[in-house]
Amino acid sequence: MIKTIKDLELRRLIKKGLIEHYAEHLKKNPKSLLARIYGVYKIKVKFMHAISIIVMENIVGVNAHEKTAMYDLKGSKFQRYSVPKSVNTILKDNNFVQNKLDRLKIDPKIQHDIISRLEKDKEFLNANSLMDYSLLVTFFKR
């Protein structure tokens, strides 16, 4: 996945040492649920302003065509609704609460493992003053 990033985010990632902390976190926590970053680049094309991009792991994978719903969950209900236009619309927290068909049924052992990973990732994000993060939950056809 390729995503544009603001110059402020790029400076923080590179110059403030965040990328090193991130790599260290992933080394200590190989089962981390954080998306893997493969590269950060600045692109300059003639007659255009330079843009910064980040290349990240595609967490949906090769089964994207079997996706039935995707939710960007932040743990808040404030302005967290998307008007569903297609199966490609990324839905939000209020959509998840309203949609009774998309529910997570997780074995207690697996649930404990996921929560443990999320806690470690949350501690890393908090320690590095990263506030804008979310959990991407994707449902696929059975």
Side-chain angles (χ1 to χ4, degrees):
M1 175 172 75
I2 299 172
K3 179 180 173 183
T4 59
I5 59 173
K6 297 175 184 163
D7 285 339
L8 179 65
E9 294 170 313
L10 177 65
R11 282 194 301 277
R12 179 133 196 257
L13 201 59
I14 305 299
K15 295 181 181 163
K16 301 274 183 168
L18 181 57
I19 199 79
E20 288 83 3
H21 295 293
Y22 166 81
E24 186 179 309
H25 174 74
L26 292 181
K27 198 177 286 185
K28 287 181 185 174
N29 303 283
K31 289 184 168 187
S32 168
L33 296 174
L34 296 177
R36 301 319 191 249
I37 296 173
Y38 296 135
V40 180
Y41 306 93
K42 192 164 200 114
I43 298 173
K44 174 73 173 119
V45 179
K46 200 173 190 176
F47 306 115
M48 290 178 57
H49 293 293
I51 61 166
S52 300
I53 62 167
I54 187 166
V55 179
M56 302 169 67
E57 171 183 30
N58 177 356
I59 58 173
V60 177
V62 296
N63 298 319
H65 63 284
E66 295 181 6
K67 173 182 72 177
T68 58
M70 183 179 286
Y71 295 90
D72 174 22
L73 304 176
K74 291 189 180 281
S76 171
K77 291 185 179 182
F78 181 70
Q79 296 183 342
R80 300 291 302 152
Y81 181 81
S82 291
V83 176
K85 296 177 180 139
S86 75
V87 72
N88 293 317
T89 301
I90 298 178
L91 304 169
K92 298 181 181 176
D93 299 65
N94 288 324
N95 300 93
F96 185 73
V97 170
Q98 289 176 358
N99 191 343
K100 304 294 185 213
L101 296 176
D102 291 335
R103 288 293 172 246
L104 299 171
K105 295 175 186 167
I106 303 173
D107 177 273
K109 286 182 183 178
I110 295 172
Q111 183 180 11
H112 177 74
D113 180 54
I114 291 171
I115 290 171
S116 175
R117 292 186 211 184
L118 287 171
E119 283 292 329
K120 289 176 184 175
D121 290 344
K122 179 190 70 138
E123 288 169 14
F124 164 76
L125 295 167
N126 189 40
N128 287 280
S129 301
L130 297 171
M131 297 294 292
D132 187 18
Y133 52 90
S134 57
L135 178 66
L136 192 64
V137 176
T138 307
F139 290 87
F140 296 92
K141 296 176 188 172
R142 285 187 176 204

